Amino acid sequence: MRKGKIHIFLLLPFWVYYILFFFIPLGILLTYSFWLTTARGLVPTFTLENYWAIFSKKLYLIIILRSIRIAFIAAIICVVVSYPVAYSLTFKYKKMQDFVLYLILISLFSSYLVRIYAWKTILGRQGLINQILQYIGLTKEPLSFLLYSPTAVIITLVFIFVPFTILPIFSSLQNVKPELIEAAKDLGANNFEAFYKVTLPLSMSGVVTGFIFSFILSAGDYVTPQLVGGTTGMMIGKIIADQFGMRYNWPFGSALSYFTLFLLALLVYCLIWILKILKLRR
Amino acid sequence: MSYENTLLVIKGASRSFGQVVAVKNFSLQVKDGEFVCLLGPSGCGKTTLLRIIAGFETLDSGDVLMNGESIIDLPPYRRTMNMVFQSYALFPHMSVFENIAFSQFLKKKPKEEVARKVRKMLQLVQLEGFETRGPNQLSGGQCQRVALARALINEPKVLLLDEPLGALDLKIRKQMQIELKNIQEKLRITFIYVTHDQEEALVMSDRIVLMNEGEIMQVGTPKRIYNHPNSKFSAMFVGENNLLKGTVVKVNSDCLVISVDGLELFANRTINVKTGDPVTLAIRPEKLRITGELEGKSFGNQIRGKMVDAVFFGSVVKYYLRISENITMVAEDRITDESNARSIKIGDGVTLAFTRESLNVFPE
């Protein structure tokens, strides 16, 4: 074997892992989506019936669209909240950088379920927010829309996934050297123009990565809607999970998964395409 | 210095960072169309001063005036000057054309006019045909040309250059020095040029401002600073010098007699000293002549020495000569013709001669 090729073996663990635990399961899932469930169990066949079934009831489409809307809003909020934090950590409060990044990592590593439960107690009828609101006299009755609503889902998703937007935006802002901003100002750009023409385009890759992370993670989340979403905050992840659990309808669950996956991939692709067009026009 | 044609005035500028004093009570007047070098070792405050002029640093005290009006309260984008950064600071997401056109599009100039101006600038810096390239497809020298074009298209009254050639290799640097000088002479724009390279300062500038620890050490033309350093620092920093410690033994009306390690040397009386004062003497290696005993008499100073080493540099040879127990001097000899190269060997006794004018004296 030639010396230069030996490095290909360094990629071996990657390929073994992905083939065994990602591509093969995905293939199995795809196969299931063409099978049928009958009273006697799973019947191996090739039918598109499961896919047609998605359109048979309005409910599924409503929930898929709602999931996408909730995930989209959550991801937008994540980006809007993260950008100023990452920006000020990079350019204004360098000394606090390590401390804040550790805090973000700690919240990322702390249990996901615990954080959702924490929000459940904060948003609940007897929760922190309602108690404060009643204490200062802003409301007489506890606000019921706080918990078991799309709002509750969005708030919780934002708090869970915001590290996934802060970190990529922060890392992309590291590429924006201070002298580039100075050069822009030197050439006649005011603060806003320097930001819009130099800082933002150079950190756009982080914004897009962060947005996609939080969007995909939110769209697929099935624990948060279950715990804080109620019926109006129900999302597609929970429906899919039910098909593999309670309903014991694996083929339909697989078809739903693939349909949602396809929609999300299409949306992300469109987003990247739009950004490319915008960049060319600038 | 007269105030005539004065474009930029810096008045008693001071700036500290915590305990560190970067610029200390700095005053300077720059004439319109002048090429001024701020020269000094790293950390002498020259870059801070440039950033103060550009508007990126604030002043603790003092003032900066342009055409007689204070500009210290103006943000960088309102100042009629532009800067060329040491790291070029080209926008990596823009092409060469977009980089150069940046300031023009901000000013909302019509597209055709911008395109024409960019073409003219590319011609000036000899980069025609590079419009669509990205900064990462350019060499260091080309990046520097783009940075220069980007700053010049804005037609600044003053161009500030922060060690613009520092990252280039020697050959390109020398070539760019000449080009920059030509461009400056062609456009007649005032250049304020920061460098730690004394040779660069000598080659390019109309006037050198020699700085150390935030203060001006000497201001003058390159010739003046080279031939008549006013301090030990100037003598050491600019060019090569033989530095000797001595004591004044006699003060005549026009000349000083100074004793150096038992040798008596004569110098012009350029400073006020009295007998017994310790002084430092500086003399350039190329001002030392290796001569025969008799012809050396006409120079005013003549000392005997012994050659300890000779180093060949191509166009010159440097001779290391011991003139006393503790002192070794360097003499430089230009080789004009291989046949006239000196036939002195290591260990030979020689006579060193130099004029009174070539010996610079500073108080210790």
Side-chain angles (χ1 to χ4, degrees), chain A residues 39-265:
Chain A
R40 278 165 285 124
L42 296 178
V43 179
T45 170
F46 183 84
T47 172
L48 290 173
E49 217 165 281
N50 296 309
Y51 288 94
W52 298 131
I54 298 171
F55 301 98
S56 66
K57 278 190 202 167
K58 259 189 173 170
L59 178 76
Y60 297 119
L61 287 178
I62 288 173
I63 292 184
I64 287 175
L65 287 180
R66 180 198 290 158
S67 306
I68 289 172
R69 194 182 66 232
I70 288 177
F72 192 81
I73 296 171
I76 292 274
I77 296 175
C78 277
V79 168
V80 168
V81 167
S82 302
Y83 202 96
V85 175
Y87 183 89
S88 52
L89 280 183
T90 307
F91 296 115
K92 307 285 171 199
Y93 301 103
K94 272 218 159 88
K95 279 180 189 157
M96 271 161 62
Q97 235 174 50
D98 289 351
F99 178 69
V100 174
L101 288 179
Y102 283 136
L103 279 185
I104 291 168
L105 281 179
I106 287 170
S107 79
L108 192 61
F109 290 145
S110 65
S111 165
Y112 160 75
L113 279 177
V114 170
R115 278 185 291 155
I116 299 173
Y117 271 109
W119 275 103
K120 195 175 166 156
T121 48
I122 293 170
L123 296 170
R125 264 185 86 82
Q126 299 303 317
L128 189 67
I129 293 181
N130 270 326
Q131 283 193 14
I132 290 173
L133 286 177
Q134 279 174 287
Y135 180 77
I136 58 176
L138 274 176
T139 56
K140 286 193 184 109
E141 298 281 301
L143 297 175
S144 53
F145 68 84
L146 281 181
L147 192 58
Y148 304 127
S149 67
T151 317
V153 177
I154 290 171
I155 293 175
T156 311
L157 288 174
V158 165
F159 272 84
I160 292 172
F161 295 127
V162 85
F164 290 100
T165 48
I166 290 190
L167 295 177
I169 293 175
F170 177 80
S171 95
S172 72
L173 278 171
Q174 303 314 299
N175 301 329
V176 186
K177 291 187 221 110
E179 67 257 28
L180 292 179
I181 300 170
E182 284 182 350
K185 289 186 186 171
D186 187 70
L187 292 164
N190 60 31
N191 290 341
F192 174 74
E193 286 166 329
F195 173 78
Y196 180 71
K197 299 232 170 199
V198 176
T199 314
L200 190 61
L202 286 175
S203 55
M204 209 54 204
S205 64
V207 172
V208 173
T209 310
F211 179 86
I212 291 173
F213 274 180
S214 49
F215 177 65
I216 297 285
L217 288 169
S218 301
D221 196 85
Y222 71 97
V223 181
T224 308
Q226 199 174 340
L227 290 176
V228 301
T231 46
T232 55
M234 179 61 65
M235 285 169 75
I236 194 65
K238 170 77 170 89
I239 305 285
I240 293 171
D242 282 350
Q243 304 305 318
F244 289 88
M246 281 158 53
R247 300 284 168 91
Y248 201 71
N249 194 347
W250 291 13
F252 184 58
S254 307
L256 262 184
S257 305
Y258 265 95
F259 181 67
T260 314
L261 182 69
F262 171 75
L263 265 187
L264 291 181

Side-chain angles (χ1 to χ4, degrees), chain B residues 12-69:
Chain B
S14 293
R15 175 74 168 121
S16 308
F17 298 100
Q19 294 291 309
V20 185
V21 182
V23 178
K24 204 152 110 198
N25 196 19
F26 187 101
S27 293
L28 182 72
Q29 279 132 27
V30 181
K31 276 187 282 190
D32 197 5
E34 198 178 16
F35 195 131
V36 175
C37 267
L38 301 177
L39 174 67
S42 49
C44 74
K46 56 194 192 295
T47 295
T48 306
L49 189 71
L50 200 73
R51 291 173 58 80
I52 287 169
I53 301 172
F56 296 127
E57 290 290 349
T58 51
L59 275 176
D60 293 337
S61 62
D63 204 352
V64 181
L65 303 137
M66 183 105 161
N67 281 328
E69 277 173 51

Side-chain angles (χ1 to χ4, degrees), chain B residues 174-229:
Chain B
K174 297 226 161 169
Q175 187 192 333
M176 283 294 286
Q177 284 172 7
I178 306 294
E179 268 183 50
L180 269 178
K181 181 77 185 147
N182 287 341
I183 287 172
Q184 192 265 343
E185 278 168 5
K186 196 165 152 193
L187 301 178
R188 281 279 130 212
I189 291 175
T190 308
F191 273 37
I192 300 182
Y193 190 105
V194 161
T195 181
H196 63 264
D197 182 345
Q198 45 94 16
E199 197 188 301
E200 203 162 283
L202 291 174
V203 170
M204 298 172 80
S205 41
D206 296 326
R207 206 150 54 105
I208 294 175
V209 178
L210 187 62
M211 290 178 72
N212 191 32
E213 293 176 353
E215 286 181 289
I216 293 181
M217 302 306 287
Q218 191 173 1
V219 182
T221 61
K223 246 184 194 163
R224 174 90 203 155
I225 288 198
Y226 187 83
N227 291 327
H228 302 283

